[in-house]
Amino acid sequence: MIPSIDAYFQGHNLYLLYERVGAETISNDCLLLLGFRSHLAALLNYPTALSATEYYQLCQTRQQPGAWGWYQLLAAQRLYWRSRPQAAYDCLQEIKAAIIELDEPEITTDYHFYCLLCLAVQPDDAPLLRLHHQALQKMVGDRPQWQYKLDLANGAIASDDSALADYDKAIALLQPQNLNPYLALSYQLLAQFWQKRNLPQQSAIFQQQALQAYQDWGAVAIVKHFQLPPRGDRDSELAAFAQLSSCQDWAEACTLALALCLDFLPAQKGAIFLYQNDQWQVQTAFPENGDWPLVWWQTLAQTPEIKLLSPVFADWPDDPYFQQYQPQQAWGWPLRVDTEVFGMLYLEREVMGLSSQPALLKQVVTLLEQQYQRDRLQHQLVLVQERAIAQERFASLGALTAGIAHEIKNPLNFVNNFAELSLELTQEIIEELETQQAQINPETWDYLQEIFGDLNQNLRSIDRHGKRADSIIRSMLLHSRSSKSDPCVAVDLNALLAEYVNLAYHGMRAKDSEFNITIESHYDSNLKPIQAVPQNLSRAFLNLINNACHATRDRVRQEAQNGNSNYRPLLTVTTQDLGKTVEIRIRDNGTGIPPHIQQRIFEPFFTTKPTGIGTGLGLSISRDIIIKEHQGHLEIDTVVNQYTEFILTLPKH
């Protein structure tokens, strides 16, 4: 037995056990531990990294059905603790072979134990009950320390007051060991015993003791379930709705909403799905590993309308789920904000019983839609607040940068101007001395020539670096310029790109007459004008296209040095309408960008160009224009010596 699983059966605190299992999982890639950690997370109300479906597929891939049997046994335990014996038994029915394969006495014993507890409420299954009882007796006979499990099972099976003696014996064995999970279960069974005898006060006492034991153990999810009102009357229903309406979190609201539907409606199966990133994702579901009619949901989302399906009065939709499982009723209600479908509530029943639009469900759906809208508005508010703070910081930083740049620019202008003037004066002195060369000693003449040559070279260096500093200052001023006064107007992206591709090409040709490149454009003819700031957007396009041209020119030189004359520079510009957004791709077949600098290319002042050529602000400016000003996305895909592609995504509004 794995130590942490053994500790679980010994009733160790769940918080400490969860951390221990996490450490064991990292050092030991064991499927039993992965499933066990998901169970602990469910008990502690922690998010689970692995869904039931993903875990099942993992067990299938690794051919370990025993691990899946262990996972289902844990799921059955949680269901039974939440007073759902039929659902728990459904989890246990098909895992007998998997449990036997595990050959772990603790797990096998618990399997028979929980089968007995579930069957105790089904008197028609007497033969099966005897079979599990005999198996449990044999297991306990070999291991007397588990006698309390047999006592609890006997108490659950008994139909008279003899059950009390069995429960007392079990509790007497459990209390010295502080086995909180089994103590909690003992009190829970006693509460059920007194409830059946219509003695609610005695039942409430043991229910409270069960709650305390679960709390001491750390089972937050079970404690929350106990704190929910009992099902079956209008007051309980109103209390459940009050708890649902007071939720502050969408995920918690979904969990409570589904539990409420399954508790107060005649449904055995259900799920709430969220539509994100063009696909349906499980928000909450029972059972966790269930299959779902995704094709039908996609149809509902497009309609959208409320649907109640039944073979009595409707043909099943074209979804393989219904052909395979054939439930008696399947009911779906799209969740909407305005007219947009963002989710789906689905319930299923094995026999007839759901009306077409139950009033309770209407209330549940309304509360879910309101909670989702609140969460979305809260999220948008946080984004607006963060953006406002960021804009204020950038505005302050921009003002500071602009002030510093202006202060530097003034003395820099003097440096540049006097460097040029000094070069001219030096040249005039040399020319004047040349007229007097005959009167100067040859050695002195050589010395003067050397001095003026060094002076001329120094002045040219000052002039060159001064102009580079001036270029950096101009880029800094451009980078810090606020665009708040620049209005968004309708912009034809195809025309704007075509213009600046042409401008960048001719700009490169003006600097390097040997430069040439093939330009391929694939502009979406259906693309409508979008709202943007054209003067800033064109600056971003120009920077990216210039980068592409420089990359191909560098590769031309690189290939020439390697003796390869087959390389042909190519620039490809593509636009595509994606519905709510527009995608622009600028791709070159140049030198590419090495992996170690890909994360730095958007940093201000970082450049891969030789000293004196680039300022390192072009890509930084482009990124700010695309992301911060236009709320778009800018991604890069590159392979060294093959290609570089910038992928821009801009919202239409």
Side-chain angles (χ1 to χ4, degrees):
M1 174 63 69
I2 297 172
S4 58
I5 296 179
D6 188 48
Y8 172 77
F9 284 108
Q10 294 173 19
H12 287 208
N13 183 272
L14 291 176
Y15 293 101
L16 300 177
L17 196 53
Y18 183 78
E19 298 301 324
R20 177 176 174 179
V21 172
E24 287 184 7
T25 306
I26 292 171
S27 61
N28 181 9
D29 183 21
C30 172
L31 274 183
L32 283 178
L33 282 175
L34 285 174
F36 183 41
R37 195 160 194 256
S38 293
H39 168 65
L40 296 180
L43 288 176
L44 291 165
N45 259 8
Y46 289 167
T48 54
L50 199 65
S51 70
T53 303
E54 291 169 332
Y55 185 73
Y56 177 75
Q57 291 170 349
L58 205 56
C59 292
Q60 293 289 95
T61 302
R62 298 191 187 181
Q63 298 182 345
Q64 294 187 28
W68 177 247
W70 163 238
Y71 185 90
Q72 284 291 83
L73 174 60
L74 295 175
Q77 289 179 356
R78 296 197 303 275
L79 288 166
Y80 190 86
W81 295 334
R82 291 171 58 192
S83 305
R84 302 185 68 175
Q86 181 56 54
Y89 190 63
D90 290 343
C91 286
L92 295 168
Q93 275 185 307
E94 298 180 4
I95 61 171
K96 180 179 179 181
I99 294 294
I100 292 172
E101 180 182 308
L102 271 177
D103 193 26
E104 292 287 356
E106 292 91 340
I107 295 175
T108 307
T109 304
D110 257 27
Y111 166 73
H112 292 297
F113 173 58
Y114 279 96
C115 282
L116 279 172
L117 294 182
C118 294
L119 288 168
V121 296
Q122 302 179 44
D124 293 339
D125 289 329
L128 195 57
L129 189 101
R130 282 196 299 272
L131 190 66
H132 284 291
H133 192 268
Q134 289 169 0
L136 183 61
Q137 277 183 315
K138 185 178 184 308
M139 299 293 292
V140 172
D142 295 336
R143 296 165 183 82
Q145 68 269 27
W146 296 336
Q147 178 63 41
Y148 59 86
K149 294 183 182 181
L150 185 59
D151 292 334
L152 289 176
N154 289 336
I157 296 169
S159 57
D160 53 25
D161 289 351
S162 64
L164 293 174
D166 292 318
Y167 291 143
D168 285 343
K169 284 193 292 183
I171 291 172
L173 291 171
L174 288 167
Q175 281 179 332
Q177 302 178 60
N178 291 321
L179 283 171
N180 284 318
Y182 293 101
L183 266 175
L185 183 56
S186 304
Y187 297 136
Q188 192 173 351
L189 290 169
L190 274 166
Q192 293 170 5
F193 174 86
W194 291 115
Q195 188 67 39
K196 288 177 183 177
R197 281 155 178 73
N198 295 318
L199 294 170
Q201 291 183 338
Q202 287 92 327
S203 177
I205 292 171
F206 288 107
Q207 188 87 334
Q208 187 60 39
Q209 287 181 291
L211 174 65
Q212 185 61 51
Y214 280 125
Q215 198 161 4
D216 292 342
W217 188 36
V220 176
I222 308 303
V223 170
K224 283 192 173 185
H225 168 75
F226 271 91
Q227 291 171 339
L228 284 172
R231 58 178 292 182
D233 58 73
R234 184 58 181 167
D235 290 341
S236 301
E237 188 179 312
L238 291 173
F241 269 107
Q243 187 172 8
L244 176 59
S245 60
S246 65
C247 281
Q248 300 298 316
D249 176 74
W250 160 252
E252 182 185 0
C254 287
T255 302
L256 286 175
L258 184 60
L260 192 153
C261 290
L262 294 175
D263 278 348
F264 291 96
L265 288 171
Q268 289 102 16
K269 184 177 180 179
I272 297 175
F273 268 58
L274 195 60
Y275 190 68
Q276 286 184 326
N277 302 322
D278 298 328
Q279 62 180 355
W280 292 100
Q281 299 176 356
V282 179
Q283 181 65 59
T284 185
F286 177 82
E288 294 177 353
N289 61 316
D291 293 328
W292 308 104
L294 296 179
V295 177
W296 183 47
W297 289 354
Q298 291 168 359
T299 305
L300 284 185
Q302 293 167 1
T303 314
E305 57 183 5
I306 302 160
K307 282 284 188 180
L308 175 67
L309 299 179
S310 171
V312 174
F313 55 82
D315 293 331
W316 292 118
D318 187 17
D319 189 308
Y321 175 87
F322 294 106
Q323 277 72 43
Q324 180 178 354
Y325 295 101
Q326 298 183 350
Q328 286 300 300
Q329 284 185 310
W331 186 93
W333 194 323
L335 305 174
R336 305 182 185 91
V337 170
D338 299 327
T339 58
E340 180 184 354
V341 174
F342 67 86
M344 189 71 64
L345 173 60
Y346 175 79
L347 293 175
E348 187 178 294
R349 183 167 168 78
E350 296 173 0
V351 295
M352 298 294 289
L354 283 172
S355 62
S356 59
Q357 294 186 29
L360 181 143
L361 277 168
K362 291 182 182 179
Q363 295 175 273
V364 170
V365 168
T366 300
L367 289 173
L368 282 174
E369 290 173 343
Q370 290 173 351
Q371 182 62 53
Y372 182 82
Q373 182 74 331
R374 283 198 297 271
D375 273 28
R376 192 167 73 163
L377 291 173
Q378 180 66 28
H379 178 66
Q380 291 173 347
L381 177 61
V382 170
L383 288 179
V384 169
Q385 289 173 335
E386 290 177 351
R387 190 174 299 163
I389 293 169
Q391 286 177 344
E392 184 63 31
R393 287 175 179 168
F394 279 117
S396 301
L397 182 60
L400 178 62
T401 303
I404 293 172
H406 277 295
E407 289 299 319
I408 295 174
K409 191 168 178 61
N410 290 331
L412 186 60
N413 286 338
F414 281 100
V415 172
N416 291 337
N417 292 337
F418 280 105
E420 292 179 3
L421 181 61
S422 298
L423 278 169
E424 294 173 4
L425 290 173
T426 304
Q427 188 60 35
E428 289 179 11
I429 293 173
I430 292 172
E431 291 172 358
E432 180 63 28
L433 285 173
E434 285 176 347
T435 62
Q436 305 295 327
Q437 183 178 355
Q439 302 177 24
I440 300 174
N441 183 286
E443 292 181 1
T444 304
W445 174 254
D446 291 339
Y447 180 62
L448 288 173
Q449 273 193 318
E450 184 180 345
I451 290 175
F452 281 109
D454 291 343
L455 181 59
N456 187 279
Q457 185 177 352
N458 291 344
L459 289 171
R460 289 186 185 279
S461 294
I462 293 170
D463 182 60
R464 183 174 68 255
H465 289 290
K467 287 178 179 176
R468 169 160 168 72
D470 187 61
S471 173
I472 293 173
I473 294 297
R474 284 200 306 272
S475 295
M476 286 176 65
L477 290 170
L478 191 64
H479 197 271
S480 63
R481 196 189 83 170
S482 172
S483 299
K484 291 180 181 177
S485 60
D486 296 333
C488 283
V489 297
V491 176
D492 184 341
L493 282 181
N494 290 342
L496 191 69
L497 273 165
E499 178 185 349
Y500 278 87
V501 166
N502 189 50
L503 180 63
Y505 170 71
H506 287 291
M508 286 292 293
R509 290 277 295 172
K511 295 177 182 177
D512 183 355
S513 59
E514 296 181 357
F515 175 78
N516 211 341
I517 190 170
T518 301
I519 300 173
E520 291 183 0
S521 56
H522 306 283
Y523 299 137
D524 190 338
S525 58
N526 297 319
L527 185 59
K528 305 296 183 186
I530 71 167
Q531 294 295 312
V533 182
Q535 59 269 32
N536 293 347
L537 207 53
S538 60
R539 191 185 320 147
F541 292 158
L542 188 60
N543 286 336
L544 295 174
I545 296 165
N546 275 335
N547 262 48
C549 291
H550 280 290
T552 57
R553 185 187 61 183
D554 291 345
R555 189 170 175 191
V556 166
R557 294 170 179 171
Q558 179 180 303
E559 297 292 343
Q561 290 176 356
N562 296 332
N564 179 15
S565 59
N566 296 324
Y567 172 71
R568 296 291 180 271
L570 175 65
L571 172 67
T572 307
V573 183
T574 307
T575 61
Q576 185 178 3
D577 190 335
L578 300 181
K580 294 183 180 180
T581 59
V582 176
E583 184 182 81
I584 302 151
R585 291 176 177 262
I586 298 172
R587 181 186 180 102
D588 66 76
N589 64 341
T591 54
I593 302 172
H596 66 280
I597 64 172
Q598 285 178 24
Q599 301 300 320
R600 299 195 59 198
I601 59 172
F602 293 111
E603 293 179 8
F605 302 108
F606 178 80
T607 179
T608 58
K609 296 183 178 68
T611 302
I613 302 298
T615 62
L617 286 169
L619 288 179
S620 175
I621 292 172
S622 300
R623 182 185 177 186
D624 285 353
I625 291 169
I626 299 299
I627 297 177
K628 294 176 183 174
E629 185 174 1
H630 289 86
Q631 282 78 55
H633 297 281
L634 178 57
E635 299 176 0
I636 184 170
D637 179 22
T638 180
V639 176
V640 174
N641 289 329
Q642 291 189 31
Y643 68 89
T644 296
E645 184 171 42
F646 287 96
I647 305 163
L648 293 70
T649 308
L650 294 170
K652 289 185 176 179
H653 302 289

